[in-house]
Amino acid sequence: AQSVTQLDSHVSVSEGTPVLLRCNYSSSYSPSLFWYVQHPNKGLQLLLKYTSAATLVKGINGFEAEFKKSETSFHLTKPSAHMSDAAEYFCVVSEPPPSNTGKLIFGQGTTLQVKP
Amino acid sequence: SAVISQKPSRDICQRGTSLTIQCQVDSQVTMMFWYRQQPGQSLTLIATANQGSEATYESGFVIDKFPISRPNLTFSTLTVSNMSPEDSSIYLCSAKSGTEAFFGQGTRLTVV
């Protein structure tokens, strides 16, 4: 069965320092992986996605993630944190073929705090 | 892309009553989903809303409690029936367009 594990429930960084949010996945197939961000009282927004193309994926707002099959990881990074990055981040895996139901399986989430 | 409008955005309801949440997509989509996000927790899939047929429910969710309609390719409703305080959550509608899933703003439900 598909699953994702976000290794940190809470990450705190100073503004201008790098961000690392860790995610490991479990999948029987080559997975499709996503990172979503949820700002307080707002909907979910897709940051980036991996769908078996380039292993280094660039997303919006300076975020990127690298798919590492050998480590079953899909960590999210950003070189320099901004105050507006403070939010909840979800690592997500989609159900693989052949079911192709489009269902998403969410990790538990990581709260990113950015200190001035 | 797809823009999803969900209403109401929030509601406070009495226990034992029911609330119907509406989800409108600005384009035709093949797949629509309903998720629940309990306080301080991640999203859990309730069901897949199938156009023209009964919804497909995930383990732990039943049609009597969460009846779903999907009359066409752009609209769906989720009803939370016979509510109890444990149903207090954010309920989110999602639609898949291409390889990407889009989400509504969510409905924040408080049951008192």
Side-chain angles (χ1 to χ4, degrees):
Chain A
Q2 305 280 91
S3 68
V4 287
T5 301
Q6 292 181 242
L7 301 174
D8 307 291
S9 60
H10 188 99
V11 170
S12 181
V13 301
S14 297
E15 189 175 21
T17 64
V19 175
L20 170 64
L21 305 183
R22 299 183 294 165
C23 173
N24 286 352
Y25 69 90
S26 172
S27 174
S28 303
Y29 299 87
S30 181
S32 292
L33 291 160
F34 310 82
W35 276 98
Y36 281 86
V37 60
Q38 185 179 39
H39 289 274
N41 299 315
K42 293 192 175 181
L44 285 159
Q45 181 182 23
L46 179 67
L47 279 177
L48 48 81
K49 62 183 178 183
Y50 166 77
T51 55
S52 74
T55 56
L56 182 61
V57 181
K58 293 188 183 298
I60 62 172
N61 301 336
F63 284 95
E64 63 181 38
E66 185 171 8
F67 174 74
K68 291 186 176 180
K69 186 175 181 179
S70 61
E71 299 176 9
T72 62
S73 69
F74 190 58
H75 301 334
L76 181 71
T77 60
K78 183 173 181 177
S80 176
H82 191 274
M83 295 297 293
S84 62
D85 294 327
E88 189 79 11
Y89 291 79
F90 294 99
C91 182
V92 181
V93 63
S94 69
E95 271 209 348
S99 65
N100 199 28
T101 61
K103 293 193 294 186
L104 299 180
I105 300 161
F106 282 74
Q108 287 301 102
T110 298
T111 302
L112 176 63
Q113 179 187 24
V114 182
K115 297 176 290 187
Chain B
S1 68
V3 176
I4 299 177
S5 301
Q6 200 175 322
K7 60 181 182 181
S9 60
R10 59 177 62 230
D11 207 342
I12 301 174
C13 300
Q14 297 290 322
R15 65 179 69 198
T17 63
S18 298
L19 175 71
T20 296
I21 303 167
Q22 297 181 1
C23 176
Q24 179 75 54
V25 189
D26 69 342
S27 58
Q28 293 187 343
V29 292
T30 53
M31 295 179 176
M32 293 182 72
F33 307 90
W34 288 97
Y35 289 84
R36 180 176 73 182
Q37 186 176 22
Q38 294 178 300
Q41 297 192 27
S42 186
L43 280 75
T44 301
L45 181 64
I46 296 172
T48 303
N50 301 310
Q51 194 268 326
S53 65
E54 195 171 281
T56 305
Y57 290 85
E58 297 299 305
S59 176
F61 297 96
V62 295
I63 188 171
D64 290 346
K65 177 66 175 177
F66 297 102
I68 288 171
S69 77
R70 188 166 175 204
N72 56 50
L73 293 176
T74 64
F75 186 78
S76 178
T77 67
L78 168 74
T79 299
V80 185
S81 302
N82 188 25
M83 288 183 284
S84 68
E86 292 71 35
D87 295 319
S88 298
S89 293
I90 298 172
Y91 293 86
L92 294 106
C93 172
S94 174
K96 187 182 179 190
S97 179
T99 59
E100 186 171 339
F102 297 86
F103 289 83
Q105 295 285 82
T107 296
R108 184 179 295 272
L109 171 62
T110 302
V111 183
V112 297

